[in-house]
């Protein structure tokens, strides 16, 4: 209930912000239009005024961006690996802000004279009459302030989230590379998919049933862990698969239990240890999934089986994945599942499968030639 109210309040605030921005922009453009209609050369005055308004907005937006650049919190955890945030933009923004404020305060006494000079210089673009001088100065000032507010708000509200998403995606990519070096191909691909989702490059399998979290085993990860929800539980089950006392038959029975929570738990165990994997169960989850979430983890389990599939099983997996890609209600294009499916198919195409019982033909070695009989001697003839 509280989350619903918070979302409703955020949506109302965002609507109010866009409405206020539209009213301000519309007021300025309406004033420019009315002023242009009273000039002898209305179209010239309108065109010149639009250019002046646009230039003022751009300059104001650039100033708002400089004032609104976010800072990296001191003492915050740095991303994994050797990466650290680049704070050059913060330093330049801080320096330019102080310089502009200092110069502006020193010239504050001559502000009216400066505006009059600016209006005189821009008056020919607005018709060249006496009334164009104050209007040009007011137009520049109006859209300069409007651009500053718009640039500051957009930078302040949107840029921190963009930078945070990029940092989190980089963390996931680096963690995926570390998993890859340790031989955990499935975990590495899972982290790469999550990184691309963080950047908005892939759609997610967000159709998780509401009761799924209660069907999965409880997580022992700390509450402050970045992995939470069903994804975090699946990752934890995957990491403990090799230490599990379960056998392949028990994992197969766990999948056949019927509930989606147990099916996903079995798929997570298959991801963590390919010796526990059961290809018929994986194929069933790919072709007849209970949800996109289950199909995603079935594809991850299939990813871990690629290095040990015989020819017939490889063909079955290829047909199942390719069939889901072409079905209208199968794997959606541009999703995390389509990325995994295409990667599986590319690996299957480049793998030379051997029948499971095919052995190289035995090479027959020729028998050693018999030694020639010794020639008879004179003593033997006697």
């Amino acid at each position: 209930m509280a989350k619903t109210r918070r979302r409703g309040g955020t949506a109302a605030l965002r609507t109010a912000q866009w409405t206020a921005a539209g009213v301000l922009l519309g007021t300025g453009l309406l004033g420019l239009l009315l002023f242009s209609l009273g000039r002898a050369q209305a179209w010239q005055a309108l065109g010149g005024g639009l250019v002046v308004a646009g230039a003022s907005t751009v300059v104001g937006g650039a100033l708002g961006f400089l004032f609104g650049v976010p800072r990296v919190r001191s003492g915050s955890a740095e991303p994994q690996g050797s990466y650290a945030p680049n704070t050059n933009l913060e330093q330049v923004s801080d320096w330019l802000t102080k310089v502009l404020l200092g110069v502006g305060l020193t010239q504050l006494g001559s502000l009216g004279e400066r505006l009059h000079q600016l209006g005189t210089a821009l008056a020919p673009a607005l018709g060249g009459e006496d009334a164009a001088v104050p209007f040009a100065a007011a137009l520049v000032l109006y859209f300069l302030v409007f651009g500053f507010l718009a640039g500051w708000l957009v930078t302040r509200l949107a840029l921190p989230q963009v930078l945070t998403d990029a940092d989190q995606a980089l963390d996931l990519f680096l963690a995926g590379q570390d998993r890859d070096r340790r031989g955990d191909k499935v975990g590495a691909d899972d982290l790469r998919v999550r990184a691309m989702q963080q950047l908005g490059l892939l759609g997610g399998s967000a159709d998780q049933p509401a009761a799924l979290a209660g069907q999965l085993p409880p997580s022992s990860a700390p509450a402050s862990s970045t992995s939470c929800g069903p994804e975090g539980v699946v990752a934890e089950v995957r990491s403990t698969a090799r230490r599990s006392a379960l056998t392949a038959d028990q994992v197969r029975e766990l999948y056949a239990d019927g509930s989606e929570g147990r099916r996903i738990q079995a798929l997570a165990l298959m991801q963590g240890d390919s010796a526990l994997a059961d290809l018929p169960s994986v194929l069933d989850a790919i072709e007849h999934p209970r949800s996109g979430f289950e199909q995603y983890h079935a594809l991850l389990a299939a990813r871990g089986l690629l290095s040990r599939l015989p020819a017939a099983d490889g063909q079955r997996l290829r047909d199942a994945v390719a069939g889901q890609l072409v079905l209208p209600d199968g794997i959606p294009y541009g999703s995390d599942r389509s990325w995994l499916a295409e990667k599986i198919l590319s690996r299957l195409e480049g793998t030379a499968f051997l029948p499971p019982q095919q052995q190289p033909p035995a090479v027959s070695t020729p028998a050693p030639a018999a030694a020639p009989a010794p020639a008879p001697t004179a003593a033997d003839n006697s």
Side-chain angles (χ1 to χ4, degrees):
M1 182 67 69
K3 289 184 178 180
T4 304
R5 291 178 179 175
R6 192 180 302 115
R7 290 176 182 173
T10 303
L13 179 60
R14 187 170 301 172
T15 302
Q17 291 172 348
W18 282 109
T19 303
V23 169
L24 288 175
L25 180 61
T27 302
L29 293 179
L30 179 61
L32 175 59
L33 178 62
L34 294 176
F35 176 83
S36 301
L37 292 177
R39 304 301 97 195
Q41 298 178 343
W43 290 110
Q44 178 184 354
L46 180 60
L50 288 175
V51 172
V52 171
S56 302
T57 304
V58 170
V59 173
L63 293 175
F65 173 79
L66 288 176
F67 278 77
V69 170
R71 295 185 177 184
V72 178
R73 294 180 180 177
S74 58
S76 60
E78 292 185 355
Q80 301 176 9
S82 59
Y83 167 80
N86 189 327
T87 59
N88 289 343
L89 184 60
E90 297 177 20
Q91 297 172 9
V92 171
S93 171
D94 186 54
W95 179 70
L96 286 178
T97 300
K98 293 176 180 177
V99 169
L100 290 172
L101 282 176
V103 173
L105 290 175
T106 59
Q107 301 296 324
L108 192 59
S110 60
L111 180 60
E113 181 182 354
R114 301 291 182 183
L115 286 176
H116 180 75
Q117 293 175 355
L118 179 62
T120 303
L122 295 177
L126 298 175
E129 301 177 5
D130 293 340
V133 175
F135 183 81
L139 187 69
V140 170
L141 191 60
Y142 184 93
F143 280 97
L144 188 67
V145 174
F146 173 77
F148 177 84
L149 292 177
W152 186 85
L153 284 174
V154 170
T155 304
R156 185 67 181 86
L157 298 177
L159 189 58
Q161 186 62 45
V162 172
L163 295 177
T164 300
D165 291 345
D167 286 342
Q168 291 177 353
L170 183 59
D171 286 351
L172 292 170
F173 270 121
L174 293 174
Q177 290 180 352
D178 184 60
R179 294 279 184 91
D180 213 347
R181 285 192 294 267
R182 289 184 294 174
D184 184 6
K185 305 296 184 182
V186 174
D189 281 348
D190 189 23
L191 290 172
R192 292 188 184 106
V193 167
R194 289 166 55 190
M196 287 185 282
Q197 289 175 344
Q198 191 76 27
L199 295 175
L201 302 177
L202 289 179
S205 299
D207 52 339
Q208 303 173 12
L212 181 58
Q215 297 176 10
L216 291 172
S219 173
S220 60
S224 59
S225 175
T226 56
S227 297
C228 57
E231 281 288 3
V233 175
V234 171
E236 186 179 356
V237 173
R238 183 198 304 138
S239 64
T240 59
R242 294 187 182 277
R243 302 191 303 269
S244 174
L246 295 174
T247 63
D249 292 337
Q250 291 173 325
V251 173
R252 187 183 306 111
E253 293 174 359
L254 182 67
Y255 177 84
D257 177 82
S259 66
E260 185 172 0
R262 291 184 177 274
R263 287 162 63 101
I264 292 177
Q265 185 180 357
L267 292 173
L269 291 168
M270 297 179 194
Q271 296 170 19
D273 187 359
S274 59
L276 301 176
D278 176 56
L279 183 61
S281 300
V282 172
L283 293 177
D284 177 71
I286 291 175
E287 295 179 314
H288 310 287
R290 303 285 179 85
S291 65
F293 186 70
E294 179 180 297
Q295 190 179 48
Y296 169 77
H297 286 285
L299 291 169
L300 275 179
R303 169 70 177 87
L305 288 173
L306 296 180
S307 59
R308 50 180 298 178
L309 284 179
D313 291 343
Q315 185 61 46
R316 292 172 60 192
L317 178 59
R318 181 188 294 115
D319 294 342
V321 174
Q324 288 296 306
L325 282 174
V326 300
L327 284 177
D329 57 346
I331 298 176
Y333 177 76
S335 65
D336 50 2
R337 288 173 280 162
S338 68
W339 186 85
L340 279 174
E342 291 168 2
K343 187 167 187 177
I344 289 172
L345 291 178
S346 65
R347 287 288 306 275
L348 289 173
E349 293 295 336
T351 304
F353 296 107
L354 290 177
Q357 297 180 351
Q358 179 176 340
Q359 300 293 337
V363 179
S364 58
T365 56
T377 60
D380 293 334
N381 293 333
S382 62

